[in-house]
């Protein structure tokens, strides 16, 4: 076996510089002095015989060589981290898992899924590190999975980020809802023309939910004549229940409000609207036992739920 010239510490420093843009900022991340960080980076470039950054004043910008190396370096660091996490494992089914979920899944679906994954670890008295969960928008979760910050993600839409494996998971039905007080004749089906005249309660432009809503609705409507943009599905649901307008929301979000009568589902001439949700993993990641178990369980759970 040949002697390795590169070290994990050098790769860690390289990744920190790539992510922060300078050796001084990276030094804080890796707990070294700025001079030691610069020396380690210079030594890595010497060993590789390649420049990894373009210098722009005090900023270090990844060049083509650096961009090619970064995902491989992150994969190696993630593998080393997985070896270290073996020390934390609690038996053959360790739950040391870093999981991400987009907002609707994290708030409404994941609480149903986690108890099955955690199992009897919930009742054990001895200390045990359970899963870590991060909730954010689809783009943020996919970026974290791609950067090896999370082991897996459950998201409500596709991603164009490279290095990811997107496995179709659940399908989420989107429902048009409004306050009963807003509807003079709820029995008459809403045609596209009638829907166009309503006030539409929407997520802000650029959000993943808004993108999906536009894709589902705008092929049938000529546009939104009057809109009110809000920053969360819960805020939109509250506005719909108050009688302000019509909302297109996930069935998971509106189920309780429909059951209590705060809102009603509109009967329309539109086709049934669904969005595809995905299980996201990093193509280069070596799965841990916890990750493999979660992926298998999530896929089984999703198929039973009618994915």
């Amino acid at each position: 076996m040949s002697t390795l010239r590169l070290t994990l510490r050098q790769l860690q420093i390289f990744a920190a510089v790539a992510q922060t843009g300078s050796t001084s900022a990276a030094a804080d991340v890796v707990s070294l002095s700025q001079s030691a960080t610069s020396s380690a980076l210079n030594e890595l470039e010497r060993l590789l015989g390649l420049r990894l950054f373009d210098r722009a004043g005090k900023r270090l910008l990844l060049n083509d060589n650096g961009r090619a190396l970064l995902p491989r370096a992150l994969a190696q660091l993630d593998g080393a981290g997985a070896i270290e996490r073996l020390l934390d494992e609690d038996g053959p089914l360790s739950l040391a898992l870093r999981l991400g979920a987009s907002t609707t899944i994290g708030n409404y679906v994941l609480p149903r899924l986690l108890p099955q994954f955690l199992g009897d670890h919930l009742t054990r008295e001895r200390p045990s590190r359970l899963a870590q969960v991060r909730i954010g928008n689809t783009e943020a979760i996919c970026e974290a999975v791609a950067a090896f910050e999370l082991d897996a993600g459950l998201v409500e839409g596709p991603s164009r980020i490279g290095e990811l494996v997107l496995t179709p998971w659940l399908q989420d039905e989107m429902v048009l809802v409004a306050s009963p007080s807003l509807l003079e004749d709820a029995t008459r089906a809403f045609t596209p023309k009638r829907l166009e005249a309503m006030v539409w309660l929407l997520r802000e432009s650029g959000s993943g939910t808004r993108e999906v809503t536009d894709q589902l609705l705008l092929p049938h409507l000529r546009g939104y004549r009057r809109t009110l943009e809000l920053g969360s599905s819960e805020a939109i649901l509250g506005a719909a229940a108050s009688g302000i307008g019509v909302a297109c929301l996930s069935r998971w979000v509106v189920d309780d409000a429909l059951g209590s009568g705060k809102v009603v589902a509109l009967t329309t001439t539109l086709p049934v609207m669904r969005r595809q949700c995905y299980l996201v993993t990093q193509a280069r990641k070596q799965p841990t036992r916890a990750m493999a178990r979660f992926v298998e369980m999530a896929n089984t759970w999703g198929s039973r739920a009618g994915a």
Side-chain angles (χ1 to χ4, degrees):
M1 181 179 296
S2 60
T3 301
L4 296 176
R5 297 182 297 162
L6 306 183
T7 68
L8 288 171
R9 188 61 164 162
Q10 289 170 336
L11 294 179
Q12 184 185 42
I13 291 168
F14 160 70
V17 174
Q19 291 162 355
T20 62
S22 71
T23 54
S24 58
D28 293 333
V29 175
V30 297
S31 300
L32 288 175
S33 67
Q34 191 272 337
S35 60
T37 302
S38 294
S39 296
L41 180 61
N42 291 336
E43 177 65 9
L44 176 62
E45 290 183 323
R46 187 190 69 78
L47 290 172
L48 293 174
L50 297 170
R51 285 291 184 184
L52 302 173
F53 295 91
D54 292 326
R55 275 67 177 174
K58 295 183 178 180
R59 298 288 296 174
L60 295 178
L61 306 176
L62 281 173
N63 60 23
D64 289 343
N65 296 327
R67 283 189 289 272
L69 176 60
L70 183 59
R72 293 172 172 81
L74 291 174
Q76 294 300 319
L77 293 170
D78 182 73
I83 293 174
E84 289 189 342
R85 288 193 293 274
L86 288 174
L87 300 175
D88 296 329
E89 290 194 344
D90 186 20
L93 295 179
S94 167
L95 302 183
L97 179 72
R98 301 167 300 168
L99 179 65
S102 51
T103 308
T104 299
I105 293 176
N107 289 333
Y108 296 94
V109 183
L110 198 58
R112 309 175 195 177
L113 181 60
L114 278 178
Q116 182 177 340
F117 173 67
L118 297 174
D120 61 2
H121 283 255
L122 293 173
T123 59
R124 293 184 181 183
E125 294 183 0
R126 59 176 172 165
S128 178
R129 185 160 70 89
L130 303 181
Q132 296 174 309
V133 178
R134 182 189 304 183
I135 296 177
N137 61 39
T138 292
E139 182 180 6
I141 296 302
C142 288
E143 288 176 350
V145 173
F148 295 91
E149 296 170 8
L150 296 172
D151 298 317
L154 298 170
V155 297
E156 297 149 29
S159 173
R160 301 177 183 87
I161 299 175
E163 300 287 324
L164 294 181
V165 177
L166 276 73
T167 303
W169 189 49
L170 294 177
Q171 284 195 338
D172 179 17
E173 182 185 358
M174 304 298 288
V175 185
L176 297 185
V177 298
S179 167
S181 65
L182 189 67
L183 310 179
E184 295 178 359
D185 182 6
T187 62
R188 182 162 62 95
F190 279 72
T191 62
K193 184 176 181 179
R194 190 181 177 195
L195 289 171
E196 289 169 9
M198 307 295 290
V199 174
W200 280 93
L201 308 172
L202 302 167
R203 284 292 300 274
E204 69 281 3
S205 297
S207 73
T209 297
R210 174 64 177 272
E211 182 178 352
V212 169
T213 302
D214 289 350
Q215 289 173 353
L216 293 174
L217 290 174
L218 291 183
H220 307 285
L221 309 179
R222 288 176 297 181
Y224 309 116
R225 192 172 303 173
R226 294 175 294 168
T227 64
L228 174 62
E229 295 185 353
L230 298 110
S232 71
S233 295
E234 290 71 24
I236 291 174
L237 180 60
S242 298
I244 297 175
V246 175
C248 180
L249 291 170
S250 163
R251 170 70 68 176
W252 298 322
V253 173
V254 303
D255 257 350
D256 288 345
L258 288 172
S260 66
K262 292 181 180 179
V263 296
V264 295
L266 275 61
T267 301
T268 77
T269 58
L270 303 181
V272 175
M273 297 180 290
R274 293 187 175 89
R275 64 177 172 181
Q276 181 66 58
C277 301
Y278 297 89
L279 172 66
V280 182
T281 54
Q282 226 287 355
R284 295 178 181 272
K285 183 171 180 61
Q286 294 297 315
T288 62
R289 287 177 290 182
M291 177 180 168
R293 178 182 176 227
F294 177 82
V295 168
E296 180 181 6
M297 186 208 65
N299 283 328
T300 300
W301 194 89
S303 63
R304 290 175 180 172

